Every structure is written in structure tokens, then in C-alpha cells.
């Protein structure tokens, strides 16, 4: 999917508000060393890429496997032309670039170096923003890049090297993270038959010609749209699953871009059906991938103990929400006695209430009122459903 999103280019776009989305993906394959088969996973795509070049070299994007080290190095792969001494270096007109980072830990390591702006450049590439010079002495730049990235990393490297800054600055949540490992131990796995590779390549050729990918220098000339039913389905998901609180600050930050990522996936699935209209089944297919990505992130970043605690807090939150819908409003004491029959600990009730208050938008509201019984003590906190 990352390769296809790259090959399609920036000609296809989907307007949502003031943002024009392009089908551009960053994918991260997470798996344990020796079991994830992260290196093997990309080989089939490279075979398809070579077969595509044999049929129509102009449809295939540039592929970079040399590793990324800096913003300047990334720009050099798709620059707009520059002067080297008295020599004019011509621009690279095709800005489609598929980057394969088999050791994604290298990218995280570069981000830790003082003055290195690679992670900021990759964020710009995901957004489709032109890469300007980072220094006055280096005048090389790349306008309208279309960079897609396929990375691979072990879970221990990811959790150990991902810094708090990368969790909060939007770098990590631009990746569709997928946990995948081998299901069998085969010393001599069978290669994909060439007939299958040829069939996939011909299908790819058909999709790319439909998307007019043979004109990579043209931008935003093929508009996509959501059908009325797809708009309704997306709006429904946007208000629920795509912004659902996961009960963990780390997991929430990693999944912050679920909505735009779903749209990009839906665009790809519609294009594989050779149509510019996104229908409900394209949204649902994309949502299935988002569910798997969510499960992958939780699996990597939340321990088994924390997972059980978070699952309990979410389940209790749902019970509180149902209780307040029926009752209207209630104090914490009433929630304890009437909703949970006094069988849930104070800590878990507080965790469930905090989960509902911290949702985006908040699902419940709290107001403080003075006690009417004249007894000493803190004012009462009354919980109710948040106003829409």
C-alpha cells in the first residue's frame, strides 16, 4: 500500500475543508528480530516494482534503500535543481519517492543528534509541504514532494528509542503501525510464482494509468469525493472510533491522526476499484486497517497489566455513561451505590470518571454545588452528560 500510494503521486486529491489530502502513506512494520520477517516482507513489492518498470518505466516511482541521515540528504533525492560551482544541476521533476528503511531505528537515532532535522523533514513530507533549506549556505530545496516510507523495527527498539518529543510533536503518529510476524517456521519458503507477480503488476499498471500517474509533474488534477453514504459513515466513525479515548496518554498520542490516515487508505481502495468516488465499503475497509493498527500500538506500548487495567476502566466508563443517560445526573456517591452497587474500588471509579472527562470532546461534565444539608465537608461534585 505504501508503494502504491507513492506510485499514484500528487495528481489525485480529496478536499476536506481547507485541506487537500493525497494518498500518501508512512507504514511501519513492527516485529521481533528473526520472527517479523521484516526484510522478506518488502521483497515481493520490489519484484512487482521491477516488473512494472519492464512494462512502463515512467509509471514506477524512485526507490531509495540507502537509508536516511539528514534533511539535506532527503532533499537531494528530489531537488528542484541547484548550482554546483559553475555547473547547473537540473531538477528532478518526478517527486515520487518510496523510501525503504529496513532499519528504522536509524531514523530515530538521527533524530537524537543535535541539530538534525530529519524527523521534521519527514513530518513535512507526510503533509506534502515543500522542503526549504535548513541553512543559508545550503540553497537546495524540493517543492511539492511526494514521499512515502516503509520502515521496519523491533518492538524493543521502538519503545526504547522513541523519545517524548517524537510522541508529542506528531512524528510517530504519522505512521500506520502494523505488528506482523511469521505464522510458520519454514526453512525453505516457496517464492511467489511469477504468474502471480505478473498478474499483480498488470493490475497495478491498470490502477496507475487510471490515476494518470504517468504525469507525475502534474498536481491536483484528479479530484476524489465521498458518496453521501460514505460521508455519513465517516462522520459516524469520526465522532466515535476515530476519536475514542484509549485510556493511555501514549496510545492516544500515537493514534492522533487516525482520521486523515483512514481517508488516505479509503482513497487507495477506491482507486483500486478504478473510481474516484469513495463508497462505504472503502471506508469500512480502511477502518479495518485502523482497528488493526490500534491493536498493534496497544500491543507494543501497553503492558499486559496496564492493558487489563485500561480495559477495566473503559468498561466501567461505558457503564457510567449508560447510567447517566438513564438517570440524568448523579454524585460520585450515587454512582458508586446505584451504578456499581458498592462493588468497585474508589480508584477505579475515579479512573472511569477521568476517562470520560478527558475524552475529546468530553463525554460528561461536572459541576460543583454547595451542600444543602448544612453538614461540613467539601462541596458536592455532580456528574452529568456533556452538552453536544
Amino acid at each position: 500500500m505504501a508503494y502504491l500510494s507513492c506510485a499514484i503521486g500528487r495528481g489525485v486529491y480529496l478536499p476536506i475543508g481547507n485541506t487537500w489530502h493525497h494518498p500518501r502513506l508512512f507504514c511501519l512494520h513492527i516485529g521481533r528480530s528473526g520472527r517479523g520477517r521484516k526484510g522478506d516482507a518488502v521483497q515481493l513489492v520490489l519484484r512487482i516494482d521491477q516488473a512494472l518498470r519492464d512494462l512502463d518505466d515512467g509509471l514506477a516511482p524512485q526507490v531509495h534503500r540507502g537509508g536516511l541521515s539528514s534533511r539535506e540528504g532527503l532533499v537531494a533525492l528530489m531537488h528542484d535543481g541547484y548550482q554546483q560551482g559553475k555547473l547547473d544541476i537540473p531538477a528532478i521533476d518526478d517527486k515520487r519517492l518510496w523510501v525503504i528503511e529496513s532499519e528504522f531505528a536509524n531514523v530515530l537515532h538521527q533524530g537524537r543528534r543535535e541539530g538534525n532535522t530529519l524527523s521534521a523533514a519527514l513530518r513535512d513530507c507526510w503533509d506534502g509541504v515543500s522542503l526549504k533549506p535548513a541553512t543559508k549556505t545550503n540553497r537546495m530545496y524540493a517543492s511539492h514532494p511526494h514521499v512515502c516510507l516503509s520502515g521496519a523495527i523491533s518492538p524493543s527498539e521502538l519503545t526504547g528509542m522513541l523519545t517524548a518529543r517524537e510522541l508529542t510533536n506528531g512524528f510517530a503518529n504519522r505512521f500506520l503501525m502494523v505488528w506482523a510476524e511469521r505464522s510458520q517456521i519454514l526453512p525453505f519458503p516457496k517464492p511467489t510464482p511469477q504468474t502471480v507477480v505478473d498478474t499483480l503488476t498488470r493490475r497495478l499498471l491498470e490502477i496507475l494509468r487510471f490515476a494518470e500517474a504517468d504525469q507525475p509533474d502534474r498536481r491536483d488534477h484528479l479530484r476524489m469525493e465521498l458518496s453521501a453514504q460514505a460521508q455519513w459513515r465517516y462522520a459516524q466513525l469520526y465522532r466515535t472510533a476515530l476519536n475514542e479515548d484509549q485510556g493511555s496518554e501514549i496510545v492516544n498520542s500515537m493514534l492522533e491522526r487516525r482520521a486523515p490516515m483512514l481517508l488516505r487508505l479509503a482513497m487507495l481502495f477506491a482507486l483500486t476499484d478504478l473510481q474516484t468516488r469513495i463508497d462505504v465499503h472503502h471506508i469500512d475497509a480502511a477502518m479495518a486497517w485502523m482497528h488493526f493498527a490500534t491493536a498493534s500500538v496497544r500491543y507494543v506500548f501497553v503492558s499486559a497489566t496496564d492493558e487489563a487495567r485500561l480495559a477495566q476502566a473503559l468498561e466501567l466508563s461505558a457503564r457510567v455513561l449508560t447510567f447517566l443517560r438513564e438517570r440524568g445526573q448523579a454524585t460520585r456517591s450515587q454512582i458508586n451505590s446505584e451504578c456499581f452497587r458498592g462493588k468497585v474500588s474508589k480508584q477505579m471509579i475515579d479512573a472511569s470518571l477521568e476517562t470520560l472527562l478527558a475524552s475529546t470532546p468530553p463525554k460528561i461534565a461536572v459541576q460543583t454545588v454547595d451542600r444543602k444539608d448544612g453538614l461540613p465537608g467539601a462541596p458536592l461534585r455532580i456528574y452529568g452528560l456533556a452538552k453536544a
Side-chain angles (χ1 to χ4, degrees):
M1 291 193 299
Y3 177 82
L4 175 62
S5 70
C6 182
I8 287 172
R10 293 186 67 137
V12 179
Y13 72 99
L14 172 68
I16 301 291
N18 293 320
T19 301
W20 287 14
H21 292 274
H22 302 101
R24 189 166 42 246
L25 294 181
F26 283 8
C27 298
L28 189 59
H29 177 179
I30 308 169
R32 289 169 291 182
S33 297
R35 301 183 185 184
R37 288 298 183 261
K38 299 181 289 294
D40 293 345
V42 78
Q43 293 305 315
L44 175 59
V45 185
L46 291 173
R47 287 181 61 187
I48 295 173
D49 171 73
Q50 185 55 57
L52 178 64
R53 293 177 191 278
D54 293 341
L55 292 175
D56 190 338
D57 189 55
L59 286 172
Q62 181 185 178
V63 179
H64 177 68
R65 303 187 67 186
L68 298 175
S69 59
S70 67
R71 182 189 193 95
E72 293 73 24
L74 178 61
V75 171
L77 296 170
M78 49 184 173
H79 62 80
D80 284 0
Y82 62 96
Q83 194 167 28
Q84 192 174 59
K86 295 183 178 180
L87 183 64
D88 289 327
I89 307 299
I92 298 174
D93 295 325
D94 190 346
K95 306 296 184 181
R96 297 175 303 161
L97 175 66
W98 184 41
V99 176
I100 303 172
E101 266 292 356
S102 56
E103 298 294 338
F104 189 73
N106 169 65
V107 173
L108 298 179
H109 177 73
Q110 297 296 337
R112 291 182 169 188
R113 292 173 52 194
E114 186 70 27
N116 189 285
T117 56
L118 177 60
S119 64
L122 288 173
R123 293 200 308 269
D124 287 343
C125 285
W126 193 88
D127 296 336
V129 176
S130 298
L131 301 180
K132 302 294 184 180
T135 62
K136 292 182 179 180
T137 56
N138 184 355
R139 305 310 298 170
M140 189 187 301
Y141 61 96
S143 61
H144 310 292
H146 189 75
V147 178
C148 301
L149 191 151
S150 295
I153 195 170
S154 69
S156 59
E157 288 176 324
L158 182 60
T159 56
M161 298 186 68
L162 203 61
T163 65
R165 182 182 64 181
E166 286 157 341
L167 284 170
T168 57
N169 68 5
F171 176 71
N173 58 37
R174 282 172 165 82
F175 287 84
L176 179 71
M177 296 191 179
V178 175
W179 175 280
E181 293 190 347
R182 66 185 181 189
S183 58
Q184 297 177 329
I185 299 177
L186 299 174
F188 301 106
K190 295 181 180 179
T192 303
Q194 188 60 40
T195 54
V196 174
V197 173
D198 292 340
T199 299
L200 290 172
T201 305
R202 287 193 296 271
R203 182 79 177 111
L204 174 63
L205 184 71
E206 188 179 21
I207 296 167
L208 295 180
R209 284 178 174 167
F210 172 79
E212 300 177 13
D214 57 342
Q215 305 173 58
D217 54 329
R218 293 182 65 194
R219 299 187 304 274
D220 305 324
H221 59 85
L222 189 60
R223 177 178 176 137
M224 299 192 72
E225 61 181 14
L226 292 155
S227 68
Q229 294 82 359
Q231 289 182 41
W232 180 88
R233 178 62 173 149
Y234 175 73
Q236 182 187 47
L237 291 170
Y238 190 85
R239 296 188 184 100
T240 54
L242 290 175
N243 283 287
E244 186 177 35
D245 182 20
Q246 298 296 313
S248 165
E249 187 176 349
I250 292 179
V251 175
N252 284 337
S253 65
M254 298 289 284
L255 298 172
E256 205 168 279
R257 283 182 167 78
R258 280 173 287 183
M261 207 173 288
L262 178 138
L263 289 175
R264 295 184 182 198
L265 288 168
M267 290 175 71
L268 280 181
F269 297 148
L271 290 171
T272 59
D273 283 341
L274 305 183
Q275 62 184 63
T276 57
R277 186 189 67 246
I278 298 172
D279 290 323
V280 172
H281 64 279
H282 301 131
I283 296 289
D284 288 341
M287 193 61 213
W289 276 96
M290 295 315 304
H291 280 313
F292 193 89
T294 299
S296 297
V297 170
R298 291 179 66 91
Y299 186 73
V300 173
F301 287 92
V302 182
S303 69
T305 302
D306 290 339
E307 180 75 23
R309 181 181 60 80
L310 293 174
Q312 185 182 9
L314 292 172
E315 190 270 332
L316 294 178
S317 299
R319 289 172 62 182
V320 170
L321 207 56
T322 301
F323 174 71
L324 291 177
R325 287 195 184 106
E326 295 173 352
R327 199 183 194 283
Q329 59 182 21
T331 64
R332 190 191 166 287
S333 176
Q334 290 168 332
I335 292 172
N336 177 36
S337 60
E338 298 178 29
C339 179
F340 297 123
R341 303 289 188 266
K343 296 180 179 180
V344 176
S345 68
K346 176 183 181 300
Q347 292 77 9
M348 290 308 302
I349 294 176
D350 289 343
S352 65
L353 292 173
E354 183 60 33
T355 297
L356 293 170
L357 287 167
S359 298
T360 305
K363 295 180 180 179
I364 64 172
V366 59
Q367 58 178 324
T368 303
V369 299
D370 293 330
R371 290 178 176 271
K372 296 181 180 179
D373 52 17
L375 296 175
L380 290 175
R381 291 167 63 85
I382 300 178
Y383 298 90
L385 296 176
K387 294 181 179 179

